[in-house]
Amino acid sequence: ETEGTKVRLSLPFLAHWGRGATIEFDGRLKRPTHYKNPGAFDTRRDLARRGILLSSFIPTPERVTLIKKGEGGASTWMAPWRRQISGVLFKNLTPRAAGFLAALFVGDRSGISDKLWQAFRVTGTAHLIAISGQHVAIVGVAFYVVFLWLLKRSTRLMLLFSVRRVAWALTLPPVWFYTFLAGAPPSALRASVMASLIPLALFSKRE
């Protein structure tokens, strides 16, 4: 009855299988939780609209077996860049340091050992090496400051148009490039979309 049905897995730990991975898991399948509060968002209906009819909670990594590691998703075309950057790190640093920095900079967690992952999970610091909106914000602010400084070098440009608007517009390509380079996790995508609204608001002269 479940063949061809999408299943939503809830994981209290950080998975590093990659998009498009094939896994086996030991868990109980059930219909998604539906709260009956009047006017509440109908989660079950929203999931069903996307073909997700079942859900399961996997409490520990030991209940999951990785059959095939994946890469896939919208960031597939950036995989060679990620591998190249990771290769440079592993060539010049110790394996542990390279694995940590590759995960921190480009979302490549393949170099982090199971023992180190367990240490991050036990100490509650696994989120530090998960690409998030904060990483995108740092990249965005850094490029914005650089572009604004360059544009302000020209008095003529400052008289012709608002250099702040142009600086924000020029910042968007590097922000989106980094988002896909890092694997395009949902938190980074959300931050990139919000960053894109800033120049839109500036050019339309809206708060």
Side-chain angles (χ1 to χ4, degrees):
E1 295 179 4
T2 60
E3 184 176 355
T5 299
K6 294 181 181 179
V7 178
R8 182 178 70 167
L9 296 183
S10 297
L11 312 173
F13 55 90
L14 194 61
H16 52 288
W17 310 316
R19 287 177 173 82
T22 302
I23 65 169
E24 287 183 356
F25 66 93
D26 176 20
R28 181 181 177 183
L29 295 175
K30 63 177 184 178
R31 295 186 67 190
T33 302
H34 173 61
Y35 299 102
K36 296 183 179 180
N37 296 344
F41 180 73
D42 194 335
T43 303
R44 183 179 293 173
R45 178 181 296 178
D46 179 66
L47 292 174
R49 191 179 296 115
R50 291 182 278 161
I52 303 173
L53 304 179
L54 298 170
S55 66
S56 183
F57 177 77
I58 311 299
T60 61
E62 289 73 27
R63 292 195 180 186
V64 182
T65 301
L66 179 63
I67 305 300
K68 180 182 178 182
K69 198 165 185 177
E71 180 65 50
S75 60
T76 304
W77 59 285
M78 296 297 294
W81 289 78
R82 280 196 295 277
R83 288 194 292 268
Q84 186 173 358
I85 293 173
S86 297
V88 172
L89 292 173
F90 278 97
K91 184 178 180 181
N92 295 281
L93 300 172
T94 63
R96 172 170 286 194
F100 176 78
L101 292 177
L104 185 65
F105 292 156
V106 295
D108 180 5
R109 303 166 189 162
S110 60
I112 298 183
S113 65
D114 292 337
K115 183 179 180 180
L116 187 57
W117 270 114
Q118 183 63 24
F120 279 120
R121 286 195 292 265
V122 170
T123 56
T125 55
H127 64 281
L128 294 177
I129 51 176
I131 298 297
S132 65
Q134 185 176 13
H135 294 73
V136 175
I138 292 173
V139 171
V141 170
F143 274 96
Y144 172 74
V145 170
V146 171
F147 285 135
L148 184 61
W149 181 84
L150 290 174
L151 291 170
K152 282 186 174 181
R153 298 306 92 196
S154 171
T155 303
R156 183 176 180 181
L157 290 178
M158 294 182 66
L159 291 174
L160 288 175
F161 45 69
S162 171
V163 291
R164 293 185 182 275
R165 297 178 189 175
V166 176
W168 270 118
L170 293 174
T171 298
L172 291 186
V175 163
W176 281 103
F177 179 85
Y178 174 75
T179 298
F180 286 108
L181 177 66
S187 57
L189 283 172
R190 182 172 61 244
S192 298
V193 170
M194 294 305 296
S196 301
L197 293 178
I198 295 175
L200 181 62
L202 290 174
F203 279 104
S204 60
K205 298 181 180 180
R206 302 294 295 272
E207 292 292 331

